[in-house]
Amino acid sequence: MRENQRSHTAPSRGAQPDFKPGIAEEFFDYLEDIDSISVRERDFGQYIEEHTGRSMPTVIDPVLLHDKAFWDRVEVPPKEEKYLLLYYVMERSTDTVAKAVEYAKAHDLTIVELSDRPLPYGKITDPEVRHIPRYDVSAEEWLGYIAHADAVFTNSFHGCCFSLIFETLFFVGKRNGNKVPNFLAEFGLTDQQFSPDDDVHGFRSTVDFKQAKARVDVRRKSSEDFLLTALREAEKSAGASQMVDNSRHEARRRRLTYPAHFHSGAVVNSDSKDTVKIDKSHPADLKVKNLKSGALEYSGARMVYRNDGSSKIGPVLFRSATHRFTGWTLRFRIDKRWFWLLDDGTIAPGDTKGTDLDDRKQVFKDGAQIPHLPVNSVASAVFVARWEKLDSDDSKPSMSSKLSRFTDRLKPR
């Protein structure tokens, strides 16, 4: 149950033109609990209107609610001068990179390369262009690089936004989806997008930022009006204590299923005896992977768990002659991000090792029940084994086990 007013402003959609049926049903179901919604792209608004009948006002991206004077106080000027900023994101950046190189050569500019998909030495391989890859910049430095560039080459939506805000000459490469073309069309900047066959010598040296910003001012006013109206409605409803039933969302979460993988953890050593192996009596359909780290991971078609708190872990199929298994920790993936379940029942984001969370991770005994995860989706889960070193005496076979093996050999075959 909830009693607070909910408003959502400027959500955007990815490159896909439509959601898959199951995801669409869930998406529209959650929208029912949001009292006021606006969208960033008109085509996304039309998609929601067609499926819900609700009116979807279009607003600008939140970064455009502030003007240049505001962002001038935030940006940090770079040390580089006379440079072209190359900022590419996600897919299909080949043409953006190629045109940036051509333009830098034509105008004797150094290329400063930023990306959300960094490579060790960047994507620029042409020895005839000066090139500085920077993947360690802060948000303030990122803004500074856009603000002070001679030109920006980008396929990023926010790269376009801040080029407009700072009135920096910019050129736009291809990008899947409609959000970049929609932005350019909305503010009269479609001429800034180039094609792979365009000659950089024909690129415009100026942009009519005055008319573009006049359009931003109009859109900013309507966007502010939407936000203020939503806030006023929230204030009115604050004292009404109107309760909304969220039980159907919780029921959906409990119907979730996810595949499980079992990771041998950190008991792998280059020394030959400190290794983990798979029990020889494992199921015939077990899939075993030798990971690059030296660890093992197994999974199976039947290792699919239900997120209702009833599923049980195990049994463990890892064996070690030098370590004793002490339990499992649990990490799970939502989209492309990993999270760890902590001992207080909360979840925390982390990488696949989550080393900084080691002391707080919840540890499950083999066969323990897996608690319900309070999330809307789980792509996969990984149970990571924990071990403790055996004492030297523990790792040696006992006299009784030696005798048992000896008598077994004496039995007739």
Side-chain angles (χ1 to χ4, degrees):
M1 306 291 282
R2 72 169 177 89
E3 56 180 308
N4 57 306
Q5 180 96 352
R6 292 180 179 177
S7 179
H8 202 348
T9 185
S12 182
R13 178 172 53 175
Q16 296 299 325
D18 199 351
F19 295 123
K20 294 179 180 179
I23 296 175
E25 180 184 358
E26 183 176 349
F27 172 74
F28 293 121
D29 192 21
Y30 277 111
L31 286 189
E32 292 181 12
D33 285 348
I34 301 178
D35 302 283
S36 59
I37 311 171
S38 64
V39 294
R40 198 177 71 183
E41 284 92 29
R42 184 62 199 137
D43 55 354
F44 187 29
Q46 291 171 340
Y47 172 74
I48 296 175
E49 289 174 349
E50 290 170 2
H51 288 80
T52 66
R54 297 178 63 170
S55 176
M56 289 291 116
T58 306
V59 296
I60 57 175
D61 188 85
V63 303
L64 295 168
L65 292 174
H66 289 298
D67 60 11
K68 182 176 183 295
F70 173 89
W71 294 109
D72 280 340
R73 296 192 294 271
V74 179
E75 61 94 354
V76 174
K79 62 182 180 180
E80 291 86 1
E81 297 180 351
K82 197 172 172 51
Y83 65 89
L84 175 157
L85 177 67
L86 170 61
Y87 178 61
Y88 54 89
V89 296
M90 301 179 70
E91 72 293 306
R92 301 185 67 177
S93 59
T94 303
D95 65 323
T96 307
V97 175
K99 287 301 175 198
V101 170
E102 293 177 24
Y103 191 94
K105 287 181 178 180
H107 294 83
D108 192 26
L109 297 173
T110 297
I111 294 180
V112 175
E113 179 183 347
L114 309 180
S115 173
D116 70 338
R117 306 288 175 92
L119 298 170
Y121 304 102
K123 278 196 171 185
I124 307 298
T125 57
D126 193 321
E128 296 181 11
V129 65
R130 296 184 301 276
H131 171 227
I132 302 172
R134 288 293 312 273
Y135 298 131
D136 57 348
V137 298
S138 65
E140 294 81 2
E141 290 174 309
W142 182 83
L143 291 171
Y145 273 116
I146 294 177
H148 298 277
D150 285 57
V152 172
F153 276 70
T154 188
N155 63 356
S156 156
F157 175 85
H158 286 104
C160 295
C161 284
F162 281 106
S163 295
L164 170 56
I165 289 170
F166 289 121
E167 302 182 14
T168 302
L169 178 65
F170 73 108
F171 304 100
V172 185
K174 285 186 178 179
R175 167 84 177 272
N176 286 340
N178 294 324
K179 59 184 178 180
V180 170
N182 286 348
F183 170 87
L184 297 175
E186 183 174 8
F187 299 113
L189 297 168
T190 53
D191 287 344
Q192 300 314 118
Q193 187 155 28
F194 56 81
S195 297
D197 296 332
D198 289 346
D199 184 352
V200 296
H201 294 89
F203 283 12
R204 297 186 177 190
S205 59
T206 60
V207 178
D208 187 358
F209 287 114
K210 184 176 180 180
Q211 66 85 23
K213 286 197 165 183
R215 295 190 185 191
V216 171
D217 290 341
V218 173
R219 301 288 289 110
R220 181 184 293 138
K221 177 64 169 62
S222 62
S223 301
E224 290 172 346
D225 289 343
F226 169 82
L227 285 170
L228 290 173
T229 300
L231 290 171
R232 292 190 190 103
E233 292 299 320
E235 289 177 350
K236 289 179 183 178
S237 65
S241 297
Q242 181 182 4
M243 303 301 288
V244 178
D245 186 4
N246 285 331
S247 60
R248 69 183 187 281
H249 301 318
E250 183 61 20
R252 182 186 293 108
R253 289 171 176 169
R254 291 182 178 275
R255 290 195 300 269
L256 289 175
T257 59
Y258 51 85
H261 303 261
F262 293 82
H263 189 288
S264 63
V267 179
V268 182
N269 192 300
S270 57
D271 296 339
S272 59
K273 66 177 183 177
D274 287 345
T275 58
V276 173
K277 297 180 179 180
I278 301 292
D279 192 303
K280 293 181 179 179
S281 62
H282 67 72
D285 63 347
L286 196 73
K287 296 180 180 179
V288 180
K289 281 186 178 181
N290 291 287
L291 305 178
K292 290 182 179 179
S293 64
L296 290 178
E297 183 177 277
Y298 64 79
S299 61
R302 289 173 291 181
M303 294 176 182
V304 176
Y305 292 159
R306 192 179 180 92
N307 190 36
D308 60 0
S310 65
S311 296
K312 294 184 178 181
I313 309 173
V316 61
L317 299 177
F318 292 123
R319 298 291 182 264
S320 172
T322 58
H323 289 73
R324 180 186 294 110
F325 173 79
T326 61
W328 302 101
T329 58
L330 171 60
R331 74 171 187 258
F332 59 94
R333 182 167 57 84
I334 301 176
D335 295 327
K336 296 180 180 180
R337 295 190 65 193
W338 286 100
F339 297 84
W340 289 89
L341 184 63
L342 304 184
D343 53 16
D344 62 357
T346 61
I347 60 177
D351 58 19
T352 54
K353 293 182 179 179
T355 307
D356 57 320
L357 300 170
D358 274 350
D359 294 338
R360 300 166 57 199
K361 294 174 185 174
Q362 189 166 158
V363 181
F364 301 94
K365 297 297 183 183
D366 204 35
Q369 283 190 316
I370 307 168
H372 165 65
L373 301 173
V375 296
N376 295 328
S377 67
V378 179
S380 66
V382 178
F383 292 93
V384 184
R386 281 197 170 184
W387 308 83
E388 64 181 10
K389 184 84 171 176
L390 290 171
D391 293 335
S392 57
D393 291 340
D394 292 337
S395 61
K396 295 177 181 177
S398 66
M399 183 57 69
S400 60
S401 65
K402 288 180 179 179
L403 181 60
S404 176
R405 289 199 296 272
F406 176 72
T407 56
D408 282 344
R409 289 198 297 270
L410 296 179
K411 292 179 181 179
R413 302 296 181 186

